[in-house]
Amino acid sequence: MYKGKSLILVVSICLVLILSLVLAACGPDATPTTTTAPTTTAPTTTTAPTTTTAPTTSASPTQAASPEKELKLGHTWPANSFMDVVFNKWAEKIKADSNGRLTVRIYPGAVLSSAPETYKAVSQGVMDIGGAYRYGAPGSEFVTGLSTMFAGVPDIATATQILDDVQVQFKETFDKEWKDNKLLWIVAETGANVVTVNKPIHVMDDLKGMQIRVPTPLTGDVIKVMGGTSVTMPLTDLTTALQKNTVNGCTMQLYSLKVYKIADITKYVTLMPLYAPPDYAITMNWNTYNSLPADLQKVIDDSLPWAKEETLKAFAQADQEGKAYAEGLGLEFYTLPDAEKAAWLEVIAEAQKAQAADLDAKGYPGTELLEFVQAKIAEYSK
């Protein structure tokens, strides 16, 4: 009996031991193996995106964007005027196209130099780039002489096309006048009309005895041959002179009616382009340009057709806005009949021929230039 019980006890103990060994063998090892595999592989898989994001780090335009050179650009237009906007757009383009390596800081309102001195100031390094007219300064007589030759030219596109033609036809003479700076781009302007305070101008005789402000003595010749008295004065003095009746009127492009608020103190506009400034030029100091690496020089050079086109569009748009602004203030606009316009142009031709002869005497091809321009006006007017 005891023997049978002992045998059962031994068998039971053996079974318990075997079962324990089986559980110990299966349980503890299997669980880590299964759970560890995902844990270990997951980081490996999720690291891949981190490596793929390398382009974001390599997009170090922002780091490489620290400018190698900042250029100073000075111009004579008021801040936020249409040409100030063009210059700022160009500056943005230069920065973008150079990947931030070349930047342009804009100085509007003639703070770096007066308008007549801007070209010289650029050559002297007062600024790197300047936008202004030459105003007949010594060394610019040939291009400035185009001003009155543009009488009757209908719009800025035509005037600038003729200016481009002159640049090709008279290349040696033209280039000589711009040798001190690098000429970036140049446009002729729209024609200047007669704007008056108290008296409308419908016929030429209406100008007799009137004091008319002009920007240069050269443009004043046109007023003189038509019977008026020309008064040369800076634009900065014009508003006061009109208000005090020191002058009875002025010659102005339509954009000036809004930009310089000429419409606020005048009443009449006679739509007849007496002349057109032929030399609104943006030039760059040669030393500054030559100091740039070739790829940044190319950024500037490649931008110039775009900048010129933007300038032409801006002037044309500004003329429309200037006229609309003046009409809103009640100004009277008068268009000369064809016969009266022809009479004005016939008289203006006297001043043109005299100025061309003066250029001849100084060694320029003045008469040849006048004949070339007149032929181009006829060609483009068809």
Side-chain angles (χ1 to χ4, degrees):
M1 176 124 186
Y2 284 110
K3 200 176 193 177
K5 287 184 179 178
S6 298
L7 183 58
I8 293 170
L9 181 60
V10 170
V11 172
S12 299
I13 291 169
C14 288
L15 287 173
V16 169
L17 287 171
I18 290 168
L19 182 59
S20 299
L21 289 170
V22 171
L23 288 173
C26 297
D29 272 335
T31 317
T33 308
T34 326
T35 50
T36 319
T39 312
T40 314
T41 24
T44 312
T45 323
T46 49
T47 350
T50 311
T51 317
T52 348
T53 28
T56 311
T57 321
S58 89
S60 45
T62 318
Q63 280 178 318
S66 55
E68 293 178 23
K69 179 72 174 177
E70 179 179 88
L71 304 175
K72 290 195 298 185
L73 188 157
H75 67 83
T76 57
W77 301 90
N80 302 317
S81 62
F82 68 95
M83 272 309 299
D84 187 50
V85 170
V86 170
F87 287 128
N88 276 279
K89 285 168 67 177
W90 183 64
E92 290 168 7
K93 180 173 175 61
I94 293 296
K95 183 177 181 180
D97 292 353
S98 69
N99 199 24
R101 292 167 56 207
L102 188 60
T103 58
V104 183
R105 185 181 293 272
I106 310 294
Y107 295 84
V111 296
L112 297 182
S113 171
S114 67
E117 293 295 318
T118 294
Y119 182 80
K120 185 178 179 182
V122 171
S123 68
Q124 293 174 337
V126 175
M127 62 190 92
D128 300 302
I129 300 171
Y133 309 95
R134 296 289 294 277
Y135 291 99
S140 69
E141 292 93 344
F142 179 73
V143 174
T144 305
L146 286 166
S147 180
T148 57
M149 297 181 188
F150 282 160
V153 174
D155 52 56
I156 188 171
T158 305
T160 300
Q161 180 59 63
I162 295 173
L163 175 64
D164 292 343
D165 295 338
V166 167
Q167 190 171 355
V168 173
Q169 182 71 17
F170 300 91
K171 179 173 172 47
E172 185 178 347
T173 306
F174 188 97
D175 289 350
K176 186 178 178 181
E177 292 203 333
W178 300 94
K179 63 181 172 49
D180 293 335
N181 296 328
K182 176 178 171 60
L183 180 60
L184 297 183
W185 73 93
I186 183 171
V187 300
E189 268 199 42
T190 48
N193 307 282
V194 181
V195 183
T196 50
V197 180
N198 295 316
K199 178 183 175 183
I201 307 297
H202 291 174
V203 295
M204 202 183 315
D205 282 349
D206 291 337
L207 281 168
K208 286 182 179 176
M210 295 192 73
Q211 304 263 349
I212 304 296
R213 180 266 176 187
V214 293
T216 65
L218 199 66
T219 53
D221 290 346
V222 172
I223 297 298
K224 290 176 186 175
V225 295
M226 296 175 68
T229 301
S230 67
V231 180
T232 306
M233 70 169 61
L235 184 59
T236 49
D237 297 337
L238 178 58
T239 300
T240 303
L242 288 169
Q243 289 171 332
K244 292 184 175 181
N245 216 30
T246 306
V247 294
N248 308 119
C250 57
T251 54
M252 276 288 165
Q253 288 77 14
L254 294 178
Y255 67 75
S256 300
L257 297 172
K258 180 180 180 181
V259 172
Y260 299 111
K261 305 302 180 189
I262 302 300
D264 294 26
I265 47 177
T266 54
K267 294 179 183 176
Y268 306 101
V269 181
T270 302
L271 293 171
M272 167 61 191
L274 301 178
Y275 61 85
D279 60 346
Y280 187 70
I282 292 76
T283 64
M284 184 172 184
N285 179 278
W286 272 117
N287 290 334
T288 301
Y289 179 79
N290 289 330
S291 71
L292 297 174
D295 62 331
L296 293 185
Q297 290 180 351
K298 188 175 186 303
V299 166
I300 290 175
D301 294 342
D302 288 351
S303 74
L304 301 183
W306 176 90
K308 183 169 182 172
E309 187 60 31
E310 286 295 308
T311 300
L312 290 171
K313 289 191 294 188
F315 268 109
Q317 178 66 27
D319 272 344
Q320 294 176 15
E321 292 176 0
K323 188 171 186 290
Y325 175 81
E327 287 173 335
L329 293 176
L331 268 71
E332 176 189 289
F333 286 83
Y334 181 76
T335 302
L336 293 179
D338 289 344
E340 186 65 21
K341 180 179 177 180
W344 286 36
L345 289 174
E346 187 177 345
V347 172
I348 291 171
E350 297 174 22
Q352 292 172 335
K353 289 174 185 175
Q355 290 173 359
D358 185 56
L359 285 174
D360 291 338
K362 293 176 180 177
Y364 295 102
T367 299
E368 184 184 351
L369 176 64
L370 176 59
E371 291 170 354
F372 179 82
V373 170
Q374 288 176 332
K376 287 297 178 181
I377 292 174
E379 176 186 340
Y380 296 139
S381 298
K382 290 177 182 176

